[in-house]
Amino acid sequence: MRVLLVEDDTMIGESLREALRRQGLAADWVRDGRAADAALASERFDAVLLDLGLPQRGGLEVLKALRARGDLTPVIVVTARDALADKVAGLDAGADDYLVKPFELDELLARLRAVERRRAGRTSTVLAVADLTLDPATREVARGSRAVLLSAREFAVLQALMERPGAIVSRAQLEDRLYGWGEELESNAISVYMHQLRRKLGDDVLHTVRGLGYYVGPAKQG
Ligand code: CA
């Protein structure tokens, strides 16, 4: 999951970005409304955490412009303002959810999972492909009744594949999901994670299509 963090408070921005990255999410951080506009216009994110009180351009304006472009990227408005009018304005401008500072990281993560689920049109929280299951909430992965322990990055790769069973996901798409701007990226990182995943899960459920990418599910014919 790739998240754009829009926050002008350096302390909050830094600690949130680190916390999200520790969870295996790719988190990019911009500090004002104009930079948010530019990032949202040029790149695809799975969710946006949007502060309302921002320099250059307020969060509400950023949100309205995003929706006016027809962009449905889930947005969680994150702000210190707790006035009812602000909440209503945020939701009316097209926010998917609302968090008032200070908030617990666990609550933010739960809300991120919820907007991701809603966007994918899923009601069940657990992803399943054959006997392989992945629970984004508890971070548990199992093959049948056998629990499998994964690193945060391995989990993120597997989740990206399991959200669209059978669909081929390219190396670049996986890299986008895993890494924020400025994060060091080894050129063979995805291959290494795939190798580890196959070692842990067995090699019958994860497949490589040479030159195209990877998918999870039954092997395609031909
Ligand atoms: Ca602010």
Side-chain angles (χ1 to χ4, degrees):
M1 188 176 200
R2 183 166 193 198
V3 177
L4 179 67
L5 180 58
V6 187
E7 171 60 68
D8 61 321
D9 183 309
T10 304
M11 251 175 63
I12 297 175
E14 249 165 27
S15 65
L16 261 183
R17 180 175 59 180
E18 282 320 302
L20 292 173
R21 285 182 175 176
R22 274 197 304 277
Q23 295 290 320
L25 283 75
D28 298 318
W29 173 28
V30 293
R31 302 164 190 231
D32 66 66
R34 291 242 168 83
D37 276 345
L40 287 165
S42 61
E43 308 214 23
R44 203 190 65 80
F45 296 91
D46 298 299
V48 183
L49 300 179
L50 181 65
D51 186 23
L52 286 189
L54 291 169
Q56 305 283 349
R57 195 166 195 218
L60 269 183
E61 285 176 77
V62 172
L63 177 56
K64 283 178 185 162
L66 180 75
R67 295 302 186 232
R69 292 196 296 271
D71 189 325
L72 298 178
T73 302
V75 173
I76 300 178
V77 164
V78 180
T79 180
R81 304 178 194 179
D82 56 359
L84 181 64
D86 284 334
K87 292 185 195 177
V88 171
L91 293 170
D92 278 349
D96 295 83
D97 205 348
Y98 207 102
L99 263 177
V100 175
K101 294 176 193 167
F103 53 85
E104 297 287 324
L105 181 64
D106 280 347
E107 182 177 8
L108 170 60
L109 293 171
R111 286 173 188 258
L112 278 173
R113 289 192 295 268
V115 295
E116 189 180 36
R117 233 172 21 240
R118 281 204 295 274
R119 196 178 68 136
R122 289 195 309 272
T123 47
S124 167
T125 58
V126 178
L127 303 176
V129 177
D131 69 342
L132 173 63
T133 54
L134 177 149
D135 188 335
T138 62
R139 306 188 72 74
E140 286 169 337
V141 174
R143 213 62 228 253
S145 57
R146 177 173 68 92
V148 181
L149 212 60
L150 301 182
S151 72
R153 298 282 204 207
E154 290 162 5
F155 185 93
V157 169
L158 185 62
Q159 183 177 354
L161 293 173
M162 287 185 72
E163 281 167 2
R164 297 166 62 208
I168 296 168
V169 183
S170 72
R171 176 184 302 255
Q173 286 172 318
L174 288 173
E175 286 172 354
D176 260 11
R177 280 280 294 252
L178 257 66
Y179 297 93
W181 304 321
E183 280 191 274
E184 276 307 313
L185 174 57
E186 299 277 340
S187 63
N188 66 342
I190 300 294
S191 306
V192 172
Y193 295 135
M194 289 302 296
H195 176 80
Q196 294 294 341
L197 283 169
R198 284 206 184 91
R199 196 175 59 75
K200 293 178 178 181
L201 299 169
D203 58 7
D204 57 330
V205 71
L206 292 170
H207 309 283
T208 304
V209 182
R210 208 162 287 285
L212 287 181
Y214 309 94
Y215 68 94
V216 64
K220 293 179 194 293
Q221 299 301 311

